[in-house]
Amino acid sequence: MELFPAVAIGGPPHAGKSVLAYSLSQALRARDVQHYVLRAYPDGEGDWANEAQQALVRRIRIKDWGSPRWVEHVSRDILNRHLPLIVDVGGRPTPWQEAILDCCTHFVLLHRDEASRREWKSLAQRHGLALLADLRSELHGTQRVEGQGRVLQGVITGLERGTVASGPTFDALVERLCLLFAYSPEEIRQAHMAQAPVETVVDLARLARALGTEPNRWQPQDLPRVLAYLPERVPLGLYGRGPVWLYAAVATLTPPAPFYQFDVRLGWVGPPALTTGGEGPEG
């Protein structure tokens, strides 16, 4: 399958990039548009950071500057993508961190003023990214679309943590991503399934529907029914969106048979084998 697009979202700090990435993902999921959000900045954020109480998020979120090895791994993941990507690149990439942008294809620019707009537009041009949207981000005010040409231009408002974006500018951006990410979900699924190293593969979305649970909204109370439903001690592959604890619990069913999961960055992977160490000095 052809290499999927990777859309970087960039702009100065506090422009609302993480909230926009989260909101776009929610809108695309509602339309069954296949994609993945890759947070290319090592601050531990995910969907939880926009859904949890913000006071708690501020307490437990850890900011980090990353490392050359981190950038190398993120760049590898983007280049090996198995789905269209939305890439949150952070607000202050250093020159060596900019290598991540070389692996992307398109760019959504959020800016607060003309100076930040020029800086980030120049950055996108320097890395050969096709500009998809050029948007001024304001916390308050009215959204408005100012241009619907090759580049979407306008004002987007309300990108505040703990909220989900909406409005005409946001909707116009969603439409552009839908067109860019216009791949058949079933064809993508079948292509991924065909690569599975085991015969029995469980699609989590279909499993949720079979159990009467909302897909992509797994809760701990669903776990007993999941474990009772799935076979034990047989080679098994797990596919689709789900929390880490769900994947970990299902993995305990298969030993001594192998377990695999589909990672949109790496493809089908198995957990590393654990070995016990030797006896300590005291025997």
Side-chain angles (χ1 to χ4, degrees):
M1 187 171 288
E2 65 186 79
L3 191 63
F4 295 107
V7 179
I9 299 179
H14 311 301
K17 297 180 296 297
S18 296
V19 177
L20 180 60
Y22 171 84
S23 300
L24 289 171
S25 183
Q26 296 302 309
L28 293 174
R29 293 182 207 181
R31 299 178 183 217
D32 198 24
V33 176
Q34 300 298 295
H35 71 287
Y36 182 79
V37 176
L38 192 152
R39 277 88 178 183
Y41 203 70
D43 55 10
E45 286 196 9
D47 287 357
W48 69 271
N50 209 64
E51 296 176 356
Q53 294 183 356
Q54 292 307 298
L56 176 62
V57 173
R58 287 190 291 271
R59 284 173 52 196
I60 64 178
R61 187 165 60 110
I62 300 175
K63 284 287 188 180
D64 194 357
W65 291 101
S67 65
R69 187 178 182 186
W70 169 270
V71 170
E72 180 182 337
H73 286 177
V74 170
S75 299
R76 175 207 62 192
D77 293 344
I78 298 173
L79 288 174
N80 292 335
R81 57 191 177 272
H82 293 260
L83 281 177
L85 293 184
I86 296 174
V87 183
D88 183 351
V89 299
R92 292 192 181 96
T94 62
W96 55 270
Q97 289 172 326
E98 289 181 18
I100 292 172
L101 295 174
D102 290 327
C103 306
C104 297
T105 59
H106 296 73
F107 194 74
V108 171
L109 167 59
L110 288 182
H111 59 88
R112 306 298 294 272
D113 49 42
E114 187 57 31
S116 62
R117 177 179 180 271
R118 287 195 301 267
E119 177 186 357
W120 281 87
K121 188 173 183 179
S122 174
L123 184 66
Q125 292 172 339
R126 188 161 68 246
H127 291 275
L129 301 180
L131 190 59
L132 196 64
D134 180 350
L135 305 175
R136 181 181 179 91
S137 177
E138 298 178 353
L139 192 56
H140 306 289
T142 302
Q143 288 196 21
R144 60 183 182 274
V145 176
E146 298 174 342
Q148 282 272 33
R150 182 177 58 84
V151 178
L152 175 66
Q153 295 179 311
V155 176
I156 190 167
T157 61
L159 298 180
E160 187 173 10
R161 289 187 180 275
T163 65
V164 180
S166 62
T169 307
F170 175 76
D171 292 342
L173 180 56
V174 171
E175 290 297 331
R176 299 223 168 189
L177 286 179
C178 286
L179 291 174
L180 186 63
F181 294 173
Y183 299 87
S184 165
E186 185 57 26
E187 287 184 6
I188 291 177
R189 177 182 174 278
Q190 290 295 337
H192 293 164
M193 292 291 189
Q195 300 167 4
V198 291
E199 182 176 344
T200 303
V201 179
V202 176
D203 184 325
L204 283 175
R206 297 188 176 192
L207 175 62
R209 287 190 285 269
L211 297 178
T213 297
E214 182 182 356
N216 303 328
R217 288 291 178 183
W218 292 97
Q219 300 297 321
Q221 56 265 31
D222 298 323
L223 202 52
R225 289 187 298 151
V226 170
L227 298 180
Y229 185 89
L230 296 178
E232 296 184 51
R233 304 172 70 85
V234 298
L236 187 68
L238 205 56
Y239 179 86
R241 292 183 183 273
V244 172
W245 51 262
L246 177 60
Y247 270 84
V250 173
T252 66
L253 289 176
T254 64
F259 171 81
Y260 295 92
Q261 67 183 71
F262 186 81
D263 187 308
V264 300
R265 303 163 301 174
L266 305 173
W268 288 99
V269 295
L274 299 179
T275 57
T276 57
E279 293 185 348
E282 298 180 358

